[in-house]
Amino acid sequence: MPDLTPDPTAERTEVGVETKGGDRAQYGMCAALAGLGVLLLVDAARLAPVQSSNDALGPKPVPIVLGALLLVVALFYAIDIRRGGVGAAEEGEDVDLDERADWKTVALLIVVFGVSAALIGPLGWVIAGSLLFWGCAFALGNRHHIRGLLVGIAISLITFYAFAIGLGVNLPAGILDGIL
C-alpha cells in the first residue's frame, strides 16, 4: 500500500502558497520579528545605567529579555516555515472573504483617531477619550449615541484615574484641570 502522507517540502497546490522552502511573506514576518528584536537589544544597550534604592536592576532587563525572545521566536518561526509549516486558512464563520474592504469605515476611524490625538492637549484625556470611544463606536455601526457617549465618559474617567492613582502617570486634564 503506498504512503499517502503529504510531504511538507513538496509543492503545494493551494492558492497563495509558494513551493518548496516556504512562503516569502512568512519569511518577511520572520525578518520583521528579528529586526524588532535587534532594535530592542540595540536600544537597551544604549540605556544609561540607573541605580536607585527602589530598583536594583534598572530599566535594561525588560528590553533585553524581550529582544532575545523576539529573536528566538523569529528563529523557530523560520525553521517551521522551512519545514513546510503553513498558517491555517481563515475559517471564521462571520468573515466573508469575498467581500471588499469597507474603506469608508477605515477612513472614518482614521479621522476619529487624528481628531482625538489633536484634542488631547487642549481638551484633556477625559473629553478627547470620550469622543474617541464615541467616534469609533459610531464608525463601527453603533447608533445609540447617548449610551455610546456615556460609556466613553466612563471608560475615559476610569483610565484617567487608573493611570493617576495606580501608575502615578498624570494624563492631561485639559480644560477640566481644576475639576479632576
Side-chain angles (χ1 to χ4, degrees):
M1 185 175 233
D3 182 21
L4 299 177
T5 307
D7 181 10
T9 60
E11 285 193 29
R12 301 208 182 264
T13 58
E14 295 119 65
V15 177
V17 178
E18 295 186 9
T19 59
K20 182 178 179 178
D23 184 8
R24 285 186 304 183
Q26 290 184 6
Y27 282 126
M29 184 56 115
C30 290
L33 288 172
L36 187 59
V38 168
L39 178 70
L40 277 172
L41 291 173
V42 168
D43 229 14
R46 294 185 338 183
L47 286 174
V50 177
Q51 293 290 334
S52 73
S53 61
N54 296 340
D55 185 14
L57 293 176
K60 278 190 176 187
V62 172
I64 289 173
V65 168
L66 289 177
L69 287 175
L70 278 170
L71 289 173
V72 169
V73 167
L75 176 69
F76 283 140
Y77 188 26
I79 291 170
D80 180 52
I81 295 167
R82 181 70 184 134
R83 290 181 176 171
V86 179
E90 177 64 48
E91 296 177 3
E93 61 187 51
D94 62 341
V95 176
D96 186 5
L97 297 176
D98 297 326
E99 197 67 30
R100 294 180 47 182
D102 184 7
W103 293 110
K104 178 183 172 188
T105 301
V106 172
L108 194 53
L109 285 170
I110 290 171
V111 168
V112 167
F113 275 94
V115 167
S116 296
L119 293 178
I120 285 177
L123 296 182
W125 166 250
V126 174
I127 295 174
S130 300
L131 293 175
L132 172 68
F133 180 84
W134 175 82
C136 288
F138 176 80
L140 295 172
N142 180 27
R143 296 300 176 249
H144 301 279
H145 304 300
I146 302 298
R147 181 174 52 191
L149 190 57
L150 290 175
V151 170
I153 292 170
I155 290 173
S156 296
L157 283 170
I158 289 168
T159 56
F160 182 84
Y161 285 114
F163 270 78
I165 296 169
L167 298 174
V169 175
N170 293 325
L171 295 175
I175 60 175
L176 300 175
D177 194 16
I179 299 170
L180 296 176

